[in-house]
PDB file of all heavy atoms in Angstrom:
ATOM      1  N   ASP A1207     -12.876  -2.065   8.354  1.00  0.00           N
ATOM      2  CA  ASP A1207     -12.000  -0.892   8.700  1.00  0.00           C
ATOM      3  C   ASP A1207     -10.638  -1.140   8.190  1.00  0.00           C
ATOM      4  O   ASP A1207      -9.730  -0.398   8.543  1.00  0.00           O
ATOM      5  CB  ASP A1207     -11.945  -0.858  10.303  1.00  0.00           C
ATOM      6  CG  ASP A1207     -13.290  -0.324  10.843  1.00  0.00           C
ATOM      7  OD1 ASP A1207     -13.849   0.579  10.255  1.00  0.00           O
ATOM      8  OD2 ASP A1207     -13.783  -0.949  11.799  1.00  0.00           O
ATOM      9  N   THR A1208     -10.401  -2.116   7.398  1.00  0.00           N
ATOM     10  CA  THR A1208      -9.010  -2.382   6.951  1.00  0.00           C
ATOM     11  C   THR A1208      -8.952  -2.884   5.420  1.00  0.00           C
ATOM     12  O   THR A1208      -9.803  -3.689   4.998  1.00  0.00           O
ATOM     13  CB  THR A1208      -8.331  -3.569   7.744  1.00  0.00           C
ATOM     14  OG1 THR A1208      -8.767  -3.442   9.130  1.00  0.00           O
ATOM     15  CG2 THR A1208      -6.891  -3.591   7.694  1.00  0.00           C
ATOM     16  N   LEU A1209      -7.980  -2.362   4.700  1.00  0.00           N
ATOM     17  CA  LEU A1209      -7.761  -2.706   3.308  1.00  0.00           C
ATOM     18  C   LEU A1209      -6.394  -3.240   3.071  1.00  0.00           C
ATOM     19  O   LEU A1209      -5.479  -2.858   3.733  1.00  0.00           O
ATOM     20  CB  LEU A1209      -7.936  -1.413   2.336  1.00  0.00           C
ATOM     21  CG  LEU A1209      -9.207  -0.637   2.424  1.00  0.00           C
ATOM     22  CD1 LEU A1209      -9.195   0.404   1.378  1.00  0.00           C
ATOM     23  CD2 LEU A1209     -10.408  -1.637   1.998  1.00  0.00           C
ATOM     24  N   TYR A1210      -6.215  -4.059   2.038  1.00  0.00           N
ATOM     25  CA  TYR A1210      -4.918  -4.350   1.558  1.00  0.00           C
ATOM     26  C   TYR A1210      -4.855  -3.357   0.260  1.00  0.00           C
ATOM     27  O   TYR A1210      -5.821  -3.263  -0.628  1.00  0.00           O
ATOM     28  CB  TYR A1210      -4.793  -5.754   0.995  1.00  0.00           C
ATOM     29  CG  TYR A1210      -4.559  -6.743   1.969  1.00  0.00           C
ATOM     30  CD1 TYR A1210      -5.425  -7.916   2.154  1.00  0.00           C
ATOM     31  CD2 TYR A1210      -3.420  -6.620   2.850  1.00  0.00           C
ATOM     32  CE1 TYR A1210      -5.175  -8.889   3.124  1.00  0.00           C
ATOM     33  CE2 TYR A1210      -3.241  -7.685   3.835  1.00  0.00           C
ATOM     34  CZ  TYR A1210      -4.032  -8.691   3.956  1.00  0.00           C
ATOM     35  OH  TYR A1210      -3.777  -9.647   4.916  1.00  0.00           O
ATOM     36  N   VAL A1211      -3.767  -2.675   0.227  1.00  0.00           N
ATOM     37  CA  VAL A1211      -3.642  -1.621  -0.939  1.00  0.00           C
ATOM     38  C   VAL A1211      -2.259  -1.778  -1.642  1.00  0.00           C
ATOM     39  O   VAL A1211      -1.168  -1.814  -0.989  1.00  0.00           O
ATOM     40  CB  VAL A1211      -3.689  -0.168  -0.290  1.00  0.00           C
ATOM     41  CG1 VAL A1211      -3.529   0.812  -1.325  1.00  0.00           C
ATOM     42  CG2 VAL A1211      -5.057  -0.040   0.403  1.00  0.00           C
ATOM     43  N   GLY A1212      -2.345  -1.920  -2.972  1.00  0.00           N
ATOM     44  CA  GLY A1212      -1.125  -1.714  -3.759  1.00  0.00           C
ATOM     45  C   GLY A1212      -1.483  -0.560  -4.646  1.00  0.00           C
ATOM     46  O   GLY A1212      -2.428  -0.473  -5.358  1.00  0.00           O
ATOM     47  N   THR A1213      -0.502   0.446  -4.562  1.00  0.00           N
ATOM     48  CA  THR A1213      -0.765   1.687  -5.350  1.00  0.00           C
ATOM     49  C   THR A1213       0.536   2.420  -5.494  1.00  0.00           C
ATOM     50  O   THR A1213       1.596   1.844  -5.178  1.00  0.00           O
ATOM     51  CB  THR A1213      -1.774   2.647  -4.634  1.00  0.00           C
ATOM     52  OG1 THR A1213      -2.161   3.660  -5.460  1.00  0.00           O
ATOM     53  CG2 THR A1213      -1.303   3.165  -3.311  1.00  0.00           C
ATOM     54  N   ASP A1214       0.474   3.652  -5.854  1.00  0.00           N
ATOM     55  CA  ASP A1214       1.710   4.431  -6.067  1.00  0.00           C
ATOM     56  C   ASP A1214       2.032   5.188  -4.701  1.00  0.00           C
ATOM     57  O   ASP A1214       1.330   6.241  -4.344  1.00  0.00           O
ATOM     58  CB  ASP A1214       1.532   5.503  -7.167  1.00  0.00           C
ATOM     59  CG  ASP A1214       2.744   6.288  -7.404  1.00  0.00           C
ATOM     60  OD1 ASP A1214       3.745   6.166  -6.610  1.00  0.00           O
ATOM     61  OD2 ASP A1214       2.890   7.040  -8.407  1.00  0.00           O
ATOM     62  N   PHE A1215       2.819   4.513  -3.896  1.00  0.00           N
ATOM     63  CA  PHE A1215       3.169   5.088  -2.525  1.00  0.00           C
ATOM     64  C   PHE A1215       4.308   6.118  -2.657  1.00  0.00           C
ATOM     65  O   PHE A1215       4.701   6.643  -1.725  1.00  0.00           O
ATOM     66  CB  PHE A1215       3.541   4.021  -1.630  1.00  0.00           C
ATOM     67  CG  PHE A1215       2.472   3.018  -1.251  1.00  0.00           C
ATOM     68  CD1 PHE A1215       2.527   1.756  -1.796  1.00  0.00           C
ATOM     69  CD2 PHE A1215       1.461   3.380  -0.477  1.00  0.00           C
ATOM     70  CE1 PHE A1215       1.496   0.910  -1.571  1.00  0.00           C
ATOM     71  CE2 PHE A1215       0.446   2.442  -0.088  1.00  0.00           C
ATOM     72  CZ  PHE A1215       0.435   1.258  -0.631  1.00  0.00           C
ATOM     73  N   GLY A1216       4.840   6.246  -3.859  1.00  0.00           N
ATOM     74  CA  GLY A1216       6.000   7.205  -4.039  1.00  0.00           C
ATOM     75  C   GLY A1216       7.081   6.498  -4.718  1.00  0.00           C
ATOM     76  O   GLY A1216       7.006   5.387  -5.161  1.00  0.00           O
ATOM     77  N   PRO A1217       8.303   7.074  -4.782  1.00  0.00           N
ATOM     78  CA  PRO A1217       9.442   6.556  -5.498  1.00  0.00           C
ATOM     79  C   PRO A1217       9.705   5.154  -5.006  1.00  0.00           C
ATOM     80  O   PRO A1217       9.756   4.838  -3.840  1.00  0.00           O
ATOM     81  CB  PRO A1217      10.542   7.573  -5.090  1.00  0.00           C
ATOM     82  CG  PRO A1217       9.886   8.820  -4.887  1.00  0.00           C
ATOM     83  CD  PRO A1217       8.579   8.496  -4.210  1.00  0.00           C
ATOM     84  N   GLY A1218       9.944   4.222  -6.021  1.00  0.00           N
ATOM     85  CA  GLY A1218      10.264   2.936  -5.737  1.00  0.00           C
ATOM     86  C   GLY A1218       9.105   1.933  -5.445  1.00  0.00           C
ATOM     87  O   GLY A1218       9.296   0.743  -5.236  1.00  0.00           O
ATOM     88  N   SER A1219       7.897   2.514  -5.337  1.00  0.00           N
ATOM     89  CA  SER A1219       6.772   1.613  -5.069  1.00  0.00           C
ATOM     90  C   SER A1219       6.114   0.988  -6.223  1.00  0.00           C
ATOM     91  O   SER A1219       5.180   0.213  -6.113  1.00  0.00           O
ATOM     92  CB  SER A1219       5.735   2.413  -4.275  1.00  0.00           C
ATOM     93  OG  SER A1219       5.137   3.523  -5.061  1.00  0.00           O
ATOM     94  N   LEU A1220       6.520   1.347  -7.470  1.00  0.00           N
ATOM     95  CA  LEU A1220       5.987   0.774  -8.661  1.00  0.00           C
ATOM     96  C   LEU A1220       6.977  -0.145  -9.446  1.00  0.00           C
ATOM     97  O   LEU A1220       8.132   0.127  -9.242  1.00  0.00           O
ATOM     98  CB  LEU A1220       5.453   1.913  -9.639  1.00  0.00           C
ATOM     99  CG  LEU A1220       4.415   2.852  -9.089  1.00  0.00           C
ATOM    100  CD1 LEU A1220       4.109   3.877 -10.196  1.00  0.00           C
ATOM    101  CD2 LEU A1220       3.076   2.081  -8.740  1.00  0.00           C
ATOM    102  N   THR A1221       6.511  -1.006 -10.157  1.00  0.00           N
ATOM    103  CA  THR A1221       7.385  -1.869 -10.992  1.00  0.00           C
ATOM    104  C   THR A1221       7.752  -1.000 -12.235  1.00  0.00           C
ATOM    105  O   THR A1221       7.235   0.106 -12.532  1.00  0.00           O
ATOM    106  CB  THR A1221       6.652  -3.184 -11.499  1.00  0.00           C
ATOM    107  OG1 THR A1221       5.628  -2.791 -12.462  1.00  0.00           O
ATOM    108  CG2 THR A1221       6.049  -3.897 -10.359  1.00  0.00           C
ATOM    109  N   ASP A1222       8.689  -1.625 -13.016  1.00  0.00           N
ATOM    110  CA  ASP A1222       9.078  -0.985 -14.278  1.00  0.00           C
ATOM    111  C   ASP A1222       7.963  -0.782 -15.247  1.00  0.00           C
ATOM    112  O   ASP A1222       7.986   0.013 -16.082  1.00  0.00           O
ATOM    113  CB  ASP A1222      10.174  -1.725 -14.890  1.00  0.00           C
ATOM    114  CG  ASP A1222      11.458  -1.778 -14.040  1.00  0.00           C
ATOM    115  OD1 ASP A1222      11.673  -0.887 -13.273  1.00  0.00           O
ATOM    116  OD2 ASP A1222      12.311  -2.681 -14.366  1.00  0.00           O
ATOM    117  N   SER A1223       6.928  -1.712 -15.021  1.00  0.00           N
ATOM    118  CA  SER A1223       5.718  -1.577 -15.951  1.00  0.00           C
ATOM    119  C   SER A1223       4.712  -0.598 -15.468  1.00  0.00           C
ATOM    120  O   SER A1223       3.620  -0.395 -16.153  1.00  0.00           O
ATOM    121  CB  SER A1223       5.087  -2.974 -15.934  1.00  0.00           C
ATOM    122  OG  SER A1223       5.916  -3.997 -16.511  1.00  0.00           O
ATOM    123  N   GLY A1224       5.013  -0.026 -14.356  1.00  0.00           N
ATOM    124  CA  GLY A1224       3.985   1.066 -13.834  1.00  0.00           C
ATOM    125  C   GLY A1224       2.920   0.508 -12.946  1.00  0.00           C
ATOM    126  O   GLY A1224       1.902   1.301 -12.644  1.00  0.00           O
ATOM    127  N   TYR A1225       3.031  -0.731 -12.405  1.00  0.00           N
ATOM    128  CA  TYR A1225       1.954  -1.254 -11.666  1.00  0.00           C
ATOM    129  C   TYR A1225       2.436  -1.365 -10.161  1.00  0.00           C
ATOM    130  O   TYR A1225       3.700  -1.315  -9.943  1.00  0.00           O
ATOM    131  CB  TYR A1225       1.600  -2.581 -12.132  1.00  0.00           C
ATOM    132  CG  TYR A1225       0.893  -2.523 -13.476  1.00  0.00           C
ATOM    133  CD1 TYR A1225       1.524  -2.939 -14.627  1.00  0.00           C
ATOM    134  CD2 TYR A1225      -0.517  -2.137 -13.537  1.00  0.00           C
ATOM    135  CE1 TYR A1225       0.937  -2.760 -15.890  1.00  0.00           C
ATOM    136  CE2 TYR A1225      -1.158  -2.149 -14.820  1.00  0.00           C
ATOM    137  CZ  TYR A1225      -0.455  -2.420 -15.889  1.00  0.00           C
ATOM    138  OH  TYR A1225      -0.975  -2.328 -17.208  1.00  0.00           O
ATOM    139  N   PRO A1226       1.689  -1.660  -9.214  1.00  0.00           N
ATOM    140  CA  PRO A1226       2.079  -1.769  -7.744  1.00  0.00           C
ATOM    141  C   PRO A1226       3.154  -2.746  -7.586  1.00  0.00           C
ATOM    142  O   PRO A1226       3.122  -3.918  -8.107  1.00  0.00           O
ATOM    143  CB  PRO A1226       0.838  -2.105  -7.018  1.00  0.00           C
ATOM    144  CG  PRO A1226      -0.324  -1.527  -7.880  1.00  0.00           C
ATOM    145  CD  PRO A1226       0.193  -1.760  -9.323  1.00  0.00           C
ATOM    146  N   ARG A1227       4.272  -2.442  -6.807  1.00  0.00           N
ATOM    147  CA  ARG A1227       5.274  -3.273  -6.430  1.00  0.00           C
ATOM    148  C   ARG A1227       5.145  -3.714  -4.935  1.00  0.00           C
ATOM    149  O   ARG A1227       5.780  -4.740  -4.486  1.00  0.00           O
ATOM    150  CB  ARG A1227       6.642  -2.682  -6.695  1.00  0.00           C
ATOM    151  CG  ARG A1227       7.808  -3.622  -6.467  1.00  0.00           C
ATOM    152  CD  ARG A1227       9.158  -2.772  -6.466  1.00  0.00           C
ATOM    153  NE  ARG A1227       9.271  -1.933  -5.232  1.00  0.00           N
ATOM    154  CZ  ARG A1227       9.702  -2.251  -4.033  1.00  0.00           C
ATOM    155  NH1 ARG A1227       9.765  -3.602  -3.738  1.00  0.00           N
ATOM    156  NH2 ARG A1227       9.666  -1.409  -3.053  1.00  0.00           N
ATOM    157  N   VAL A1228       4.432  -2.876  -4.282  1.00  0.00           N
ATOM    158  CA  VAL A1228       4.224  -3.115  -2.849  1.00  0.00           C
ATOM    159  C   VAL A1228       2.844  -3.105  -2.396  1.00  0.00           C
ATOM    160  O   VAL A1228       1.882  -2.410  -2.842  1.00  0.00           O
ATOM    161  CB  VAL A1228       4.932  -1.922  -1.992  1.00  0.00           C
ATOM    162  CG1 VAL A1228       4.751  -2.004  -0.583  1.00  0.00           C
ATOM    163  CG2 VAL A1228       6.370  -1.731  -2.392  1.00  0.00           C
ATOM    164  N   ILE A1229       2.493  -4.095  -1.476  1.00  0.00           N
ATOM    165  CA  ILE A1229       1.061  -4.159  -0.851  1.00  0.00           C
ATOM    166  C   ILE A1229       1.287  -3.813   0.578  1.00  0.00           C
ATOM    167  O   ILE A1229       2.035  -4.400   1.358  1.00  0.00           O
ATOM    168  CB  ILE A1229       0.451  -5.523  -1.153  1.00  0.00           C
ATOM    169  CG1 ILE A1229       0.274  -5.674  -2.702  1.00  0.00           C
ATOM    170  CG2 ILE A1229      -0.878  -5.603  -0.353  1.00  0.00           C
ATOM    171  CD1 ILE A1229      -0.344  -6.994  -3.029  1.00  0.00           C
ATOM    172  N   LYS A1230       0.343  -2.943   1.042  1.00  0.00           N
ATOM    173  CA  LYS A1230       0.345  -2.521   2.562  1.00  0.00           C
ATOM    174  C   LYS A1230      -1.045  -2.781   3.052  1.00  0.00           C
ATOM    175  O   LYS A1230      -2.034  -2.933   2.375  1.00  0.00           O
ATOM    176  CB  LYS A1230       0.640  -1.088   2.638  1.00  0.00           C
ATOM    177  CG  LYS A1230       2.052  -0.708   2.042  1.00  0.00           C
ATOM    178  CD  LYS A1230       2.446   0.762   2.505  1.00  0.00           C
ATOM    179  CE  LYS A1230       3.793   1.045   1.940  1.00  0.00           C
ATOM    180  NZ  LYS A1230       4.354   2.285   2.435  1.00  0.00           N
ATOM    181  N   ARG A1231      -1.028  -2.935   4.427  1.00  0.00           N
ATOM    182  CA  ARG A1231      -2.283  -3.035   5.135  1.00  0.00           C
ATOM    183  C   ARG A1231      -2.623  -1.628   5.770  1.00  0.00           C
ATOM    184  O   ARG A1231      -1.803  -1.027   6.459  1.00  0.00           O
ATOM    185  CB  ARG A1231      -2.194  -4.107   6.246  1.00  0.00           C
ATOM    186  CG  ARG A1231      -3.456  -4.366   6.929  1.00  0.00           C
ATOM    187  CD  ARG A1231      -3.370  -5.551   7.939  1.00  0.00           C
ATOM    188  NE  ARG A1231      -2.339  -5.256   8.973  1.00  0.00           N
ATOM    189  CZ  ARG A1231      -1.182  -5.985   9.061  1.00  0.00           C
ATOM    190  NH1 ARG A1231      -0.911  -6.931   8.144  1.00  0.00           N
ATOM    191  NH2 ARG A1231      -0.232  -5.653   9.907  1.00  0.00           N
ATOM    192  N   TRP A1232      -3.800  -1.210   5.409  1.00  0.00           N
ATOM    193  CA  TRP A1232      -4.169   0.208   5.702  1.00  0.00           C
ATOM    194  C   TRP A1232      -5.478   0.260   6.602  1.00  0.00           C
ATOM    195  O   TRP A1232      -6.528  -0.272   6.283  1.00  0.00           O
ATOM    196  CB  TRP A1232      -4.511   0.980   4.442  1.00  0.00           C
ATOM    197  CG  TRP A1232      -4.725   2.433   4.607  1.00  0.00           C
ATOM    198  CD1 TRP A1232      -4.421   3.211   5.565  1.00  0.00           C
ATOM    199  CD2 TRP A1232      -5.454   3.263   3.610  1.00  0.00           C
ATOM    200  NE1 TRP A1232      -4.839   4.613   5.396  1.00  0.00           N
ATOM    201  CE2 TRP A1232      -5.379   4.590   4.090  1.00  0.00           C
ATOM    202  CE3 TRP A1232      -5.985   2.999   2.331  1.00  0.00           C
ATOM    203  CZ2 TRP A1232      -6.065   5.604   3.523  1.00  0.00           C
ATOM    204  CZ3 TRP A1232      -6.560   4.091   1.712  1.00  0.00           C
ATOM    205  CH2 TRP A1232      -6.564   5.381   2.239  1.00  0.00           C
ATOM    206  N   ARG A1233      -5.337   0.770   7.735  1.00  0.00           N
ATOM    207  CA  ARG A1233      -6.402   0.835   8.695  1.00  0.00           C
ATOM    208  C   ARG A1233      -7.179   2.192   8.538  1.00  0.00           C
ATOM    209  O   ARG A1233      -6.610   3.266   8.331  1.00  0.00           O
ATOM    210  CB  ARG A1233      -5.961   0.643  10.123  1.00  0.00           C
ATOM    211  CG  ARG A1233      -5.559  -0.728  10.451  1.00  0.00           C
ATOM    212  CD  ARG A1233      -5.505  -1.019  11.962  1.00  0.00           C
ATOM    213  NE  ARG A1233      -6.756  -0.732  12.644  1.00  0.00           N
ATOM    214  CZ  ARG A1233      -7.740  -1.614  12.590  1.00  0.00           C
ATOM    215  NH1 ARG A1233      -7.703  -2.783  11.956  1.00  0.00           N
ATOM    216  NH2 ARG A1233      -8.835  -1.326  13.318  1.00  0.00           N
ATOM    217  N   ARG A1234      -8.495   2.112   8.730  1.00  0.00           N
ATOM    218  CA  ARG A1234      -9.348   3.279   8.693  1.00  0.00           C
ATOM    219  C   ARG A1234      -8.926   4.372   9.697  1.00  0.00           C
ATOM    220  O   ARG A1234      -8.538   4.034  10.826  1.00  0.00           O
ATOM    221  CB  ARG A1234     -10.761   2.941   8.949  1.00  0.00           C
ATOM    222  CG  ARG A1234     -11.801   4.047   8.765  1.00  0.00           C
ATOM    223  CD  ARG A1234     -13.160   3.634   9.120  1.00  0.00           C
ATOM    224  NE  ARG A1234     -13.672   2.584   8.204  1.00  0.00           N
ATOM    225  CZ  ARG A1234     -14.125   2.780   7.034  1.00  0.00           C
ATOM    226  NH1 ARG A1234     -14.211   4.043   6.503  1.00  0.00           N
ATOM    227  NH2 ARG A1234     -14.625   1.726   6.274  1.00  0.00           N
ATOM    228  N   GLY A1235      -8.941   5.565   9.172  1.00  0.00           N
ATOM    229  CA  GLY A1235      -8.606   6.735  10.108  1.00  0.00           C
ATOM    230  C   GLY A1235      -7.147   6.932  10.258  1.00  0.00           C
ATOM    231  O   GLY A1235      -6.777   7.885  10.965  1.00  0.00           O
ATOM    232  N   THR A1236      -6.289   6.209   9.475  1.00  0.00           N
ATOM    233  CA  THR A1236      -4.829   6.428   9.625  1.00  0.00           C
ATOM    234  C   THR A1236      -4.418   6.945   8.173  1.00  0.00           C
ATOM    235  O   THR A1236      -4.974   6.582   7.158  1.00  0.00           O
ATOM    236  CB  THR A1236      -4.087   5.202   9.979  1.00  0.00           C
ATOM    237  OG1 THR A1236      -4.228   4.183   9.003  1.00  0.00           O
ATOM    238  CG2 THR A1236      -4.518   4.645  11.283  1.00  0.00           C
ATOM    239  N   PRO A1237      -3.354   7.804   8.148  1.00  0.00           N
ATOM    240  CA  PRO A1237      -2.823   8.182   6.895  1.00  0.00           C
ATOM    241  C   PRO A1237      -2.336   7.084   6.113  1.00  0.00           C
ATOM    242  O   PRO A1237      -1.782   6.091   6.618  1.00  0.00           O
ATOM    243  CB  PRO A1237      -1.675   9.243   7.295  1.00  0.00           C
ATOM    244  CG  PRO A1237      -1.914   9.515   8.692  1.00  0.00           C
ATOM    245  CD  PRO A1237      -2.519   8.302   9.321  1.00  0.00           C
ATOM    246  N   LEU A1238      -2.407   7.139   4.725  1.00  0.00           N
ATOM    247  CA  LEU A1238      -1.916   6.112   3.833  1.00  0.00           C
ATOM    248  C   LEU A1238      -0.483   5.895   4.032  1.00  0.00           C
ATOM    249  O   LEU A1238       0.078   4.737   4.017  1.00  0.00           O
ATOM    250  CB  LEU A1238      -2.222   6.537   2.436  1.00  0.00           C
ATOM    251  CG  LEU A1238      -1.762   5.537   1.353  1.00  0.00           C
ATOM    252  CD1 LEU A1238      -2.468   4.180   1.513  1.00  0.00           C
ATOM    253  CD2 LEU A1238      -2.026   6.014  -0.002  1.00  0.00           C
ATOM    254  N   ALA A1239       0.300   6.986   4.421  1.00  0.00           N
ATOM    255  CA  ALA A1239       1.641   6.896   4.633  1.00  0.00           C
ATOM    256  C   ALA A1239       2.050   6.006   5.871  1.00  0.00           C
ATOM    257  O   ALA A1239       3.217   5.435   5.980  1.00  0.00           O
ATOM    258  CB  ALA A1239       2.302   8.255   4.918  1.00  0.00           C
ATOM    259  N   ASP A1240       1.121   5.875   6.731  1.00  0.00           N
ATOM    260  CA  ASP A1240       1.296   4.948   7.858  1.00  0.00           C
ATOM    261  C   ASP A1240       0.971   3.499   7.708  1.00  0.00           C
ATOM    262  O   ASP A1240       1.106   2.601   8.619  1.00  0.00           O
ATOM    263  CB  ASP A1240       0.600   5.461   9.160  1.00  0.00           C
ATOM    264  CG  ASP A1240       1.059   6.838   9.585  1.00  0.00           C
ATOM    265  OD1 ASP A1240       2.228   7.131   9.200  1.00  0.00           O
ATOM    266  OD2 ASP A1240       0.428   7.463  10.423  1.00  0.00           O
ATOM    267  N   ALA A1241       0.449   3.176   6.483  1.00  0.00           N
ATOM    268  CA  ALA A1241       0.012   1.830   6.119  1.00  0.00           C
ATOM    269  C   ALA A1241       1.339   0.806   6.250  1.00  0.00           C
ATOM    270  O   ALA A1241       2.408   1.241   5.970  1.00  0.00           O
ATOM    271  CB  ALA A1241      -0.548   1.688   4.753  1.00  0.00           C
ATOM    272  N   VAL A1242       1.116  -0.342   6.726  1.00  0.00           N
ATOM    273  CA  VAL A1242       2.123  -1.282   7.026  1.00  0.00           C
ATOM    274  C   VAL A1242       2.412  -2.199   5.801  1.00  0.00           C
ATOM    275  O   VAL A1242       1.430  -2.861   5.340  1.00  0.00           O
ATOM    276  CB  VAL A1242       1.764  -2.067   8.255  1.00  0.00           C
ATOM    277  CG1 VAL A1242       2.897  -3.191   8.491  1.00  0.00           C
ATOM    278  CG2 VAL A1242       1.515  -1.268   9.426  1.00  0.00           C
ATOM    279  N   THR A1243       3.666  -2.249   5.360  1.00  0.00           N
ATOM    280  CA  THR A1243       4.026  -3.119   4.295  1.00  0.00           C
ATOM    281  C   THR A1243       3.863  -4.612   4.688  1.00  0.00           C
ATOM    282  O   THR A1243       4.426  -5.039   5.705  1.00  0.00           O
ATOM    283  CB  THR A1243       5.447  -2.832   3.827  1.00  0.00           C
ATOM    284  OG1 THR A1243       5.513  -1.466   3.326  1.00  0.00           O
ATOM    285  CG2 THR A1243       5.852  -3.764   2.646  1.00  0.00           C
ATOM    286  N   VAL A1244       3.188  -5.342   3.807  1.00  0.00           N
ATOM    287  CA  VAL A1244       2.940  -6.756   4.137  1.00  0.00           C
ATOM    288  C   VAL A1244       3.526  -7.684   2.984  1.00  0.00           C
ATOM    289  O   VAL A1244       3.721  -8.866   3.143  1.00  0.00           O
ATOM    290  CB  VAL A1244       1.489  -7.106   4.357  1.00  0.00           C
ATOM    291  CG1 VAL A1244       0.993  -6.547   5.577  1.00  0.00           C
ATOM    292  CG2 VAL A1244       0.632  -6.636   3.198  1.00  0.00           C
ATOM    293  N   PHE A1245       3.778  -7.104   1.798  1.00  0.00           N
ATOM    294  CA  PHE A1245       4.200  -7.958   0.656  1.00  0.00           C
ATOM    295  C   PHE A1245       4.923  -6.964  -0.343  1.00  0.00           C
ATOM    296  O   PHE A1245       4.478  -5.940  -0.562  1.00  0.00           O
ATOM    297  CB  PHE A1245       3.041  -8.514   0.034  1.00  0.00           C
ATOM    298  CG  PHE A1245       3.409  -9.585  -1.064  1.00  0.00           C
ATOM    299  CD1 PHE A1245       3.889 -10.850  -0.733  1.00  0.00           C
ATOM    300  CD2 PHE A1245       3.215  -9.337  -2.405  1.00  0.00           C
ATOM    301  CE1 PHE A1245       4.256 -11.778  -1.652  1.00  0.00           C
ATOM    302  CE2 PHE A1245       3.642 -10.276  -3.396  1.00  0.00           C
ATOM    303  CZ  PHE A1245       4.084 -11.480  -3.055  1.00  0.00           C
TER     304      PHE A1245
END
């Protein structure tokens, strides 16, 4: 029921190279916007 996710979360969430800059913990049944930043 839980993932670690690095993706395009919006402005500022990608590196200058276009890859994920932020990793969040995402629980099933919750919006991606509510995922908790862990790294």
Side-chain angles (χ1 to χ4, degrees):
D1207 294 316
T1208 322
L1209 301 179
Y1210 284 123
V1211 177
T1213 191
D1214 186 351
F1215 294 107
S1219 66
L1220 299 179
T1221 66
D1222 295 340
S1223 299
Y1225 294 102
R1227 188 191 65 79
V1228 177
I1229 293 176
K1230 299 189 178 188
R1231 187 173 56 248
W1232 184 22
R1233 289 196 57 80
R1234 183 182 300 280
T1236 64
L1238 181 61
D1240 292 346
V1242 178
T1243 298
V1244 293
F1245 188 75

